[in-house]
């Protein structure tokens, strides 16, 4: 698949307020690797939200490590 084909379809966003994913995240927390990490992160976030003395700082890191990194290149 080339770049033009990848970019031909519009990416649709999910309205997270329209779905209750608590059960899904809890189920994923019992799986391996990143599912477990997702469940752990959700639990920590929930504890932070419930703690009135906690300052929440959100830092996101996105890694792009596709086997063929040329697909993601802008050149």
């Amino acid at each position: 698949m080339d770049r033009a084909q990848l970019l031909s379809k519009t990416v649709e966003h999910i309205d997270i307020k329209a779905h209750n994913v608590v059960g899904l995240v809890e189920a994923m927390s019992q799986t391996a690797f990143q599912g477990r990490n997702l469940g752990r992160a959700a639990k920590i976030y929930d504890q932070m939200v419930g703690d009135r003395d906690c300052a929440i700082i959100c830092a996101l890191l996105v890694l792009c490590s596709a086997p063929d990194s040329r697909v993601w290149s802008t050149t």
Side-chain angles (χ1 to χ4, degrees):
M1 187 175 283
D2 66 0
R3 184 172 189 256
Q5 288 174 319
L6 288 171
L7 298 176
S8 66
K9 186 174 179 184
T10 303
V11 175
E12 296 183 20
H13 298 279
I14 298 171
D15 180 6
I16 61 170
K17 294 180 180 180
H19 305 281
N20 184 352
V21 296
V22 173
L24 176 62
V25 172
E26 287 175 350
M28 289 179 70
S29 72
Q30 302 302 315
T31 65
F33 304 111
Q34 296 308 319
R36 191 174 338 155
N37 288 337
L38 176 65
R40 182 171 178 249
K43 186 174 183 179
I44 292 169
Y45 181 75
D46 189 48
Q47 290 172 344
M48 291 170 63
V49 169
D51 185 351
R52 297 182 59 84
D53 295 326
C54 180
I56 299 173
I57 300 172
C58 184
L60 300 175
L61 174 64
V62 178
L63 297 176
C64 213
S65 60
D68 185 359
S69 59
R70 292 173 295 158
V71 170
W72 304 106
S73 174
T74 58
T75 57

